[in-house]
Structure formats: C-alpha cells, structure tokens
Amino acid sequence: MSGAGSVLAMITSLKNNKRKRETFFKGVQAVKHKKHALYHKVISDEQLNIIKDKIQKYFLKERRKFTIIYIIITIVILIGITLLILFLNNNVNLNSFDTF
C-alpha cells in the first residue's frame, strides 16, 4: 500500500507535538551573559497600573498622530484627483486662441 510511510510520519509528528514542553523563562531568575546580568524587579500593582497608563497614553497619542497624517494625505490625494478630472474634462484646447 502506498502512503503508509506518510501516515506513520504524520502520527509520529502528532505524538511529538503533544508532549509537555518546558518554557525558557520558567524558574529563570537571572540571565548571565559575560559581564552583564539581567534581573527582574517585583513592583506593586499601583506602580504597574501607572506604567500601563503611561504606555497607553503614549500609544493613543501616536495613533492619533498617524490618523491625522493619514487623513491629510488622503484629502490631498482626493483634491489632486478631483482637479485632474476637472482639468481633463474641461477639454481646453491650448493651441487655439480666440481673438476679439
């Protein structure tokens, strides 16, 4: 029968993916790399909420800035397209001048 090896490989792959994996950060207190060590601080919930509020305000301000820039660019493009359409539909022949 053909395909038996593929099915066996699929079953083996599924079994390997089911196993419990340890996370890298579980139980890690410090990461030492040559001269530097990285330690984590424990902070209170109040300080954590203050930091979260600062980050949220910063990203809100950035999002507003990009939204305003996007709107301005869109308006400029729409005005340009409108003027182009009006100019092309005007059918002005620049080579013929009417004399009075």
Side-chain angles (χ1 to χ4, degrees):
M1 287 192 238
S2 64
S6 299
V7 174
L8 184 62
M10 179 184 64
I11 292 171
T12 305
S13 176
L14 289 173
K15 284 182 183 178
N16 289 336
N17 288 336
K18 269 196 233 179
R19 68 181 167 82
K20 178 75 175 139
R21 291 191 170 95
E22 294 291 325
T23 61
F24 177 74
F25 295 107
K26 185 177 180 182
V28 174
Q29 294 298 324
V31 177
K32 294 183 179 177
H33 178 58
K34 296 184 182 179
K35 297 179 184 177
H36 306 289
L38 177 64
Y39 296 97
H40 68 278
K41 285 185 180 180
V42 178
I43 60 172
S44 67
D45 290 337
E46 184 177 319
Q47 290 174 336
L48 187 61
N49 287 333
I50 291 171
I51 293 170
K52 284 181 183 178
D53 289 340
K54 285 182 182 179
I55 292 171
Q56 287 175 352
K57 287 178 184 177
Y58 172 76
F59 281 113
L60 181 65
K61 188 167 69 171
E62 289 293 313
R63 188 174 24 197
R64 284 182 183 163
K65 183 171 65 173
F66 286 119
T67 304
I68 290 170
I69 291 171
Y70 178 74
I71 289 172
I72 290 172
I73 290 173
T74 305
I75 290 172
V76 168
I77 291 173
L78 287 176
I79 289 173
I81 291 173
T82 305
L83 291 176
L84 181 67
I85 290 172
L86 289 175
F87 180 73
L88 292 177
N89 285 338
N90 198 6
N91 293 330
V92 175
N93 191 357
L94 297 176
N95 292 332
S96 64
F97 294 102
D98 289 336
T99 58
F100 293 104

